[in-house]
Amino acid sequence: MTASTTRRSAGILLYRRTGPAGVEVLLAHPGGPIWARKDEGSWSLPKGLIDPDESEWDAARREFLEEIGSPVPDGPHVDLGEVKLKSGKIVIGFGVEGDLDVTTVVSNTFEMAWPPRSGRMQSFPEIDRAEWFDPVTAKKKLNPAQAPLVERLLEAL
């Protein structure tokens, strides 16, 4: 892929302070039958593709709302830079401080043929759940390519 055709996503790494030096980050688990039994290395920050006519920050905020069902909390954001997934996709991250009750997460949905080759289309949530994790656990749960975003957040804080 050339630089102009590389798929680019943007997302929010929401964090909350848990004490004098503690921090937790909010991660999202992808929905659908392919991800149902996968855990470590499968989680992500809520993210999605950047539309041609929007900024990285606007895309990150839109995707957070679509995948989490709540707007990004007001306040400043920390630019966490970008990481490259095995697929070649670039993910741009932004850290934002805030709190969220994970029981209120309601994601948008996608459709896919399921079971495979059945011709039956079924609808699944893009995110089936979100949870708060301490940084050490978060780096284990995250897609390995996204783990540096947690380190960059901690350095920025």
Side-chain angles (χ1 to χ4, degrees), residues 86-141:
K86 278 185 185 179
S87 67
K89 181 192 286 185
I90 301 293
V91 176
I92 297 116
F94 297 95
V96 176
E97 185 170 7
D99 202 354
L100 178 84
D101 177 355
V102 294
T103 64
T104 66
V105 170
V106 179
S107 178
N108 57 340
T109 59
F110 69 95
E111 284 195 344
M112 67 182 282
W114 194 260
R117 294 177 293 285
S118 67
R120 287 190 24 228
M121 295 301 286
Q122 291 194 48
S123 183
F124 301 98
E126 274 197 50
I127 299 300
D128 62 16
R129 65 189 180 279
E131 292 183 33
W132 289 102
F133 295 104
D134 64 85
V136 171
T137 306
K139 288 186 278 184
K140 291 177 187 172
K141 297 282 186 181

Side-chain angles (χ1 to χ4, degrees), residues 1 4-12 44-64 66-67 85 87-92 94 108 126:
M1 284 187 166
S4 61
T5 60
T6 300
R7 294 182 333 152
R8 297 169 51 83
S9 288
I12 302 290
S44 177
L45 59 154
K47 62 168 179 40
L49 292 173
I50 302 166
D51 289 337
D53 61 338
E54 71 183 335
S55 71
E56 295 164 349
W57 172 240
D58 286 343
R61 291 186 358 217
R62 174 182 50 76
E63 287 292 335
F64 188 90
E66 289 177 3
E67 294 189 353
L85 305 183
S87 67
K89 181 192 286 185
I90 301 293
V91 176
I92 297 116
F94 297 95
N108 57 340
E126 274 197 50

Side-chain angles (χ1 to χ4, degrees), residues 16-94:
R16 65 182 181 186
R17 298 178 192 273
T18 58
V23 171
E24 290 180 324
V25 294
L26 183 78
L27 302 182
H29 186 269
I34 293 169
W35 297 98
R37 293 191 178 103
K38 296 181 180 179
D39 188 48
E40 283 195 6
S42 299
W43 293 67
S44 177
L45 59 154
K47 62 168 179 40
L49 292 173
I50 302 166
D51 289 337
D53 61 338
E54 71 183 335
S55 71
E56 295 164 349
W57 172 240
D58 286 343
R61 291 186 358 217
R62 174 182 50 76
E63 287 292 335
F64 188 90
L65 177 60
E66 289 177 3
E67 294 189 353
I68 300 297
S70 300
V72 174
D74 290 332
H77 64 270
V78 178
D79 183 351
L80 301 175
E82 61 183 46
V83 294
K84 188 174 187 176
L85 305 183
K86 278 185 185 179
S87 67
K89 181 192 286 185
I90 301 293
V91 176
I92 297 116
F94 297 95

